[in-house]
Amino acid sequence: MIELKNITKTFYKTGREINALQDVSLHVPPGKIFGVIGTSGAGKSTLIRCINLLEKPTSGEVIVDGKSLLLLSNSQLAQERRQIGMIFQHFNLLSSRTVFENVAFSLELAGVSKSIIKERVQELLELVGLTEKVNDYPAILSGGQKQRVAIARTLANNPKVLLCDEATSALDPGTTRSILNLLKDINKRLNITILLITHQMEVVKAICDEVAVISNGKLIEQGTVGEIFANP
Ligand code: ADP
Ligand code: ADP
């Protein structure tokens, strides 16, 4: 479902070269939950941002759902990006809009009718367990509730792939568990492939089928969670 082939990303900053990713290849089969774990500065953010081309790789190939994204025109890419949902550490909700308006936003942009939007938002908020917050503003929600809104918002587009950028890193352990359970549920019920990046081993152990370890811009290990975290 997601394939990165020999991705290199070099940043140039004040005459210095920073090799954020060096020849990274990975394959995420459809329906799996795949984790990339590494310390701060290892290249996790750059890697996940290369999948939806928020960051353009210096070289290599990005294939999502059979399409080579770097070969697409801008309008084709915009189309494909709708298949790729993303959630963030700090949720990135629109603070001047209610929960309803946040979740409805992309549907409005897509020109969906008001009655269908209402139905769809209701259904999405049921899925994430937040129907009673429909008219609240993000500021009064807890971190876990904000992440549930962000998940509902990204699912509105019916993505095939969900990218999670340190999605539980701002949450306490109990809330982290409940959000991870929700992600697992979404993966199973909606058959959405999930790629997540994290610095937390517990996250990978809790929900990932497969894991890759990134260090200094290189994938240094890859396998099932059992293989990578096997006790000696
Ligand atoms: P992580 O997400 O694992 O903390 P990042 O992908 O953010 O790692 O960063 C990898 C390396 O690339 C770091 O050395 C970081 O400083 C550098 N980097 C990331 N983005 C940029 C950028 N836009 N410009 C310059 N350097 C960057
Ligand atoms: P987060 O942990 O919230 O994902 P990051 O620290 O990874 O945030 O990066 C935030 C933004 O800053 C990203 O767009 C990343 O590419 C950019 N960035 C990261 N490191 C650097 C750097 N050394 N120089 C310039 N931009 C950077």
Side-chain angles (χ1 to χ4, degrees):
M1 178 58 71
I2 303 172
E3 192 154 9
L4 300 182
K5 287 189 181 168
N6 311 102
I7 296 292
T8 291
K9 175 70 186 182
T10 308
F11 292 108
Y12 296 94
K13 206 178 162 193
T14 55
R16 213 159 54 89
E17 260 187 27
I18 301 167
N19 293 310
L21 297 174
Q22 297 180 57
D23 201 23
V24 167
S25 297
L26 65 78
H27 173 73
V28 183
K32 295 287 184 201
I33 304 183
F34 192 104
V36 177
I37 188 166
T39 54
S40 177
K44 303 182 296 296
S45 273
T46 306
L47 180 125
I48 206 165
R49 291 161 59 86
C50 279
I51 295 170
N52 53 13
L53 302 193
L54 280 177
E55 205 75 78
K56 195 168 177 249
T58 308
S59 61
E61 216 180 322
V62 181
I63 301 165
V64 178
D65 196 23
K67 294 178 192 82
S68 185
L69 299 192
L70 287 157
L71 301 180
L72 300 180
S73 67
N74 285 342
S75 64
Q76 287 170 322
L77 179 61
Q79 186 83 21
E80 284 314 308
R81 272 192 174 140
R82 266 178 238 131
Q83 311 279 333
I84 309 174
M86 190 163 184
I87 57 172
F88 306 90
Q89 177 172 5
H90 297 295
F91 324 119
N92 297 10
L93 299 175
L94 299 167
S95 59
S96 64
R97 292 170 190 258
T98 64
V99 167
F100 181 94
E101 290 162 346
N102 267 280
V103 178
F105 191 66
S106 66
L107 298 170
E108 282 167 5
L109 287 182
V112 176
S113 77
K114 276 205 162 65
S115 62
I116 292 183
I117 289 179
K118 207 169 165 201
E119 232 171 79
R120 182 89 179 108
V121 171
Q122 172 72 19
E123 181 185 293
L124 288 161
L125 291 179
E126 269 169 33
L127 181 75
V128 301
L130 222 56
T131 43
E132 76 279 18
K133 303 291 181 191
V134 61
N135 293 316
D136 287 346
Y137 285 89
I140 68 161
L141 302 179
S142 70
Q145 290 168 341
K146 285 180 194 163
Q147 196 59 292
R148 285 172 190 272
V149 177
I151 290 168
R153 174 184 58 180
T154 195
L155 292 180
N157 284 326
N158 279 321
K160 292 190 174 135
V161 165
L162 178 61
L163 305 177
C164 306
D165 183 352
E166 296 278 7
T168 55
S169 296
L171 305 175
D172 63 63
T175 309
T176 292
R177 273 193 295 279
S178 74
I179 293 295
L180 293 177
N181 284 335
L182 176 61
L183 292 175
K184 210 170 185 172
D185 191 43
I186 285 165
N187 165 256
K188 294 284 168 291
R189 279 169 60 181
L190 307 179
N191 195 32
I192 294 177
T193 306
I194 296 181
L195 185 139
L196 63 86
I197 60 166
T198 183
H199 64 279
Q200 297 173 303
M201 209 180 287
E202 313 85 77
V203 167
V204 166
K205 283 182 171 169
I207 63 164
C208 292
D209 301 304
E210 286 179 50
V211 57
V213 182
I214 188 169
S215 173
N216 286 320
K218 292 181 183 151
L219 292 191
I220 54 171
E221 256 190 294
Q222 208 167 323
T224 65
V225 171
E227 284 162 1
I228 300 295
F229 296 121
N231 290 318

